[in-house]
Amino acid sequence: LSKLIHINRNAYLLDSISGASAAYSLRKLRSAYSGSAIRVVRLSDSAEQNIGFAPNGDLDIDSLKTFLGNTSPPLDAVPNAAVAYSLRQVRLAYTGSAIRVRRSSDNSEQDIGFTSGGDLNIVALLDFVGTGSGYVKTWYDQSGNGKDASQTTTALQPRIVNAGRLDTLSTGMPTVSFNGGQYLYNSSISGTISGSKLTGFMVGQTNNSSSNNGRFVVLHKTGDSNDYSTTSSLVLFQIDAADGEDPDTLVTPHYGSSGTTYIRWSNAIPVGNAFLGSLYNNGSSMSGELNNIWETYGDGALTMGSSLNLAPNYLILGTGRANSSFTTNYLTGAMSEVIIYNTNLSFSSSRVPIAANESNYFNIPGGWMDIANPLPVYGQIKTWYDQSANSNNLSQSTTQYQPSIIFKDGMSAVAKPTLTFNDQPYLSSTTGFPTSSDYTISVIGSYTAVYSDDHSFMGGTVSGAGGHNLWMDSSSGTPTKPKLWHNGTFATSGTAMSDDTLYALMGTFVNSSKLGTLYLGNTSVGSGTASSTVSSAGIQLGANAGSNQRLYGQISEAIVFSRVLTTAERTIVYKDQQSYFGAL
């Protein structure tokens, strides 16, 4: 219905409101505009494609999904993994099976491979197991290094089929279930993983809130007193439910003589929810992502007490190891993929593509946003095209700083697409902002209160004299009130914004009086007088003056007018945006 209304209005927003000097949106804003909306980078192979609009003016979602769905397996995008266990084909050159399965009916065994599309051959698996249960004897290593993880003791083999039904993650994807007493291992990884640098990825799930210290992945050197208190052994992922809440995931790269050093996610992962975990260690510091959120007890890498010097000969999935014996740190949970590199992979060219690939394949929300409001990653935005006819396109050539194109059901009344900025990305243009003149700026966006940093929705390319900014100020703590800036704050909202809520923000500036007015939901919430006019024509979305005040949030539309809109025009803009995006 909303699409039909949009078509039958016979006019797009900028057909009704004139004077736009720059206009960026994930919908069509002007009937005469024949260009694209965005240029998207596919992270798996760095391919790029322009994405335009559907006949009704919405973003062409079908073309976007077709382009981004054509992805390469993660080990082809980022080769040379040390070990790789997965229930999908993660390397095209790999011709072996995924797992070796024992069926409960007669203890017969069979290798189970992949379909032509690279998925686990579930039909072959269920046909072999029948109405009984199936257990994983061997999880084959697809890296090419032959470090298969196995378990010959039948009582200790994890399960993949339960009474004729496939074990799955909460997202419906196949998984290997560890029910508090099973584990797989390889005892000959010496030299495959060693030294001070490592990057690990895992797709898993917790299934029991009391499974405190249950190990997902462990690297252990025989003779080390345990798997966490020496520099040569390492717990990559484990469960921590010591706080009495649902289990958090705990990444434990190193316990040193100077004390405990580890990464812990600050919000609990609900029992039964699939998640993505990654660990990065460059030898002197470490960081980790949970559902693609960077977490190290705060913002940034965590400095280690002493240098990691890995020398494991055991890799274990599902429990821990101390001295020469396996421990009882059994996992009650599941794993669908584990990939480890014996190097510190770069963020933009390697870690982002793998995490995005896992997010897409296993249907696990991520998208570089907070766990309370997860969003699936689809691709990165290199260019956001200007629909004003002035060619003031916004761009970002560095992959790490490109915002994500995402969708979130329920984000607005009609679930429209948006761009996600996760305290890293921003887009820039050196032109487009009116100088020494009146203007109106309009932004549809939200912020996420993960960090108490300043959040800039639309800023300029210079700081200080001549700059401009529509932002959230953190000087009084967690940012809640937007501000309009001209060589100093001159319009501050008296009304707070709720985090993770889509708002229509607008600011106006009258050059003759230097009066600025800030609007939230078409209601004036603050005004003030600036000391001078804007002299810089640059525009940035998601940051201000380079990489300052980076936004942790979303932007769906941003328009700059080279005049002050009338009250009637502001109302038209607001009602149009509210109807389309569901913004407050």
Side-chain angles (χ1 to χ4, degrees):
L1 179 61
S2 63
K3 294 180 179 179
L4 290 175
I5 292 173
H6 189 68
I7 292 172
N8 292 334
R9 288 188 309 183
N10 295 319
Y12 293 94
L13 178 61
L14 295 187
D15 290 343
S16 304
I17 308 296
S18 64
S21 60
Y24 316 98
S25 185
L26 297 179
R27 61 169 174 162
K28 193 171 183 177
L29 291 173
R30 192 166 58 89
S31 58
Y33 181 71
S34 58
S36 299
I38 49 179
R39 186 165 184 83
V40 181
V41 178
R42 187 168 61 203
L43 296 179
S44 60
D45 58 4
S46 299
E48 301 177 10
Q49 182 170 304
N50 286 336
I51 301 297
F53 302 99
N56 67 344
D58 289 343
L59 188 69
D60 189 349
I61 301 301
D62 290 340
S63 293
L64 178 64
K65 289 185 175 180
T66 298
F67 170 64
L68 294 174
N70 184 20
T71 58
S72 301
L75 267 64
D76 288 322
V78 185
N80 302 319
V83 295
Y85 311 102
S86 184
L87 296 180
R88 59 168 172 160
Q89 187 180 20
V90 294
R91 188 170 63 94
L92 290 177
Y94 179 72
T95 58
S97 298
I99 49 178
R100 187 166 184 83
V101 176
R102 176 184 61 85
R103 63 187 180 195
S104 60
S105 60
D106 60 2
N107 288 326
S108 294
E109 299 175 6
Q110 181 172 304
D111 284 342
I112 302 297
F114 307 100
T115 66
S116 59
D119 302 320
L120 183 69
N121 194 333
I122 296 172
V123 173
L125 172 64
L126 296 179
D127 283 348
F128 168 68
V129 173
T131 58
S133 296
Y135 298 89
V136 177
K137 179 180 181 180
T138 303
W139 202 346
Y140 292 108
D141 174 21
Q142 297 184 45
S143 72
N145 292 322
K147 303 302 179 181
D148 306 332
S150 300
Q151 178 59 261
T152 58
T153 303
T154 57
L156 301 180
Q157 293 170 350
R159 193 185 67 207
I160 192 166
V161 177
N162 182 24
R165 296 176 64 90
L166 182 71
D167 280 312
T168 63
L169 297 171
S170 60
T171 60
M173 301 301 288
T175 196
V176 178
S177 295
F178 297 77
N179 297 310
Q182 300 82 41
Y183 59 94
L184 301 168
Y185 68 95
N186 184 291
S187 60
S188 60
I189 64 165
S190 297
T192 303
I193 301 174
S194 63
S196 61
K197 299 177 181 180
L198 179 140
T199 308
F201 303 87
M202 186 193 69
V203 177
Q205 182 170 302
T206 60
N207 291 332
N208 190 317
S209 60
S210 63
S211 184
N212 190 29
N213 294 323
R215 308 290 207 255
F216 285 97
V217 185
V218 165
L219 302 173
H220 183 255
K221 178 184 178 181
T222 299
D224 281 354
S225 58
N226 49 47
D227 48 23
Y228 60 84
S229 65
T230 70
T231 61
S232 51
S233 293
L234 178 73
V235 177
L236 272 74
F237 304 98
Q238 76 172 40
I239 297 173
D240 173 29
D243 55 10
E245 300 177 357
D246 292 339
D248 307 0
T249 58
L250 181 68
V251 184
T252 311
H254 176 55
Y255 277 51
S257 58
S258 61
T260 302
T261 302
Y262 59 91
I263 302 168
R264 179 183 176 189
W265 179 245
S266 58
N267 292 319
I269 297 294
V271 172
N273 279 30
F275 65 87
L276 310 175
S278 67
L279 165 69
Y280 168 82
N281 197 311
N282 65 8
S284 60
S285 64
M286 58 191 174
S287 63
E289 286 98 19
L290 183 61
N291 282 6
N292 299 341
I293 317 300
W294 196 8
E295 181 69 17
T296 56
Y297 265 135
D299 184 10
L302 190 64
T303 301
M304 295 168 55
S306 57
S307 296
L308 191 67
N309 188 22
L310 287 173
N313 55 310
Y314 272 78
L315 181 148
I316 309 110
L317 306 176
T319 192
R321 193 169 185 269
N323 292 311
S324 299
S325 303
F326 293 101
T327 67
T328 57
N329 297 119
Y330 296 121
L331 171 67
T332 302
M335 283 179 274
S336 295
E337 184 165 287
V338 175
I339 302 173
I340 303 174
Y341 292 82
N342 196 189
T343 186
N344 53 324
L345 295 179
S346 69
F347 178 86
S348 59
S349 64
S350 301
R351 287 153 60 198
V352 168
I354 291 177
N357 183 289
E358 289 180 332
S359 178
N360 289 334
Y361 185 83
F362 290 100
N363 301 320
I364 299 174
W368 315 105
M369 287 295 291
D370 68 309
I371 185 61
N373 296 275
L375 306 170
V377 174
Y378 286 117
Q380 305 295 102
I381 303 304
K382 183 176 183 178
T383 306
W384 202 349
Y385 292 105
D386 175 20
Q387 298 185 45
S388 72
N390 296 314
S391 300
N392 296 311
N393 301 327
L394 295 166
S395 62
Q396 178 59 260
S397 59
T398 303
T399 304
Q400 180 177 351
Y401 301 141
Q402 292 170 348
S404 302
I405 175 69
I406 58 91
F407 298 87
K408 176 185 177 184
D409 292 338
M411 181 198 71
S412 66
V414 287
K416 297 299 183 182
T418 187
L419 298 191
T420 292
F421 298 75
N422 69 316
D423 199 49
Q424 289 286 323
Y426 62 95
L427 298 167
S428 298
S429 171
T430 57
T431 58
F433 204 88
T435 59
S436 301
S437 67
D438 296 352
Y439 68 76
T440 301
I441 55 178
S442 171
V443 174
I444 300 297
S446 67
Y447 84 99
T448 297
V450 173
Y451 299 130
S452 60
D453 300 339
D454 300 332
H455 296 253
S456 177
F457 290 103
M458 179 188 290
T461 52
V462 301
S463 60
H468 61 90
N469 198 5
L470 176 60
W471 63 313
M472 305 280 287
D473 183 6
S474 66
S475 59
S476 58
T478 302
T480 58
K481 297 179 180 180
K483 297 187 177 184
L484 194 62
W485 187 87
H486 246 95
N487 303 323
T489 300
F490 76 121
T492 301
S493 171
T495 302
M497 291 172 58
S498 299
D499 66 326
D500 295 309
T501 302
L502 203 65
Y503 284 92
L505 288 164
M506 190 175 292
T508 62
F509 176 72
V510 180
N511 187 52
S512 60
S513 63
K514 305 297 185 293
L515 177 66
T517 305
L518 186 61
Y519 299 88
L520 186 62
N522 202 34
T523 299
S524 175
V525 291
S527 63
T529 303
S531 59
S532 63
T533 61
V534 168
S535 60
S536 173
I539 297 175
Q540 286 190 190
L541 294 186
N544 178 54
S547 60
N548 300 314
Q549 301 171 333
R550 289 179 174 176
L551 172 67
Y552 210 108
Q554 305 167 10
I555 299 175
S556 297
E557 184 168 284
I559 307 173
V560 181
F561 298 90
S562 56
R563 63 186 182 87
V564 175
L565 299 186
T566 66
T567 299
E569 288 173 328
R570 288 200 320 272
T571 300
I572 290 173
V573 171
Y574 171 67
K575 287 186 175 180
D576 183 271
Q577 292 171 334
Q578 184 185 46
S579 173
Y580 189 84
F581 293 105
L584 297 180

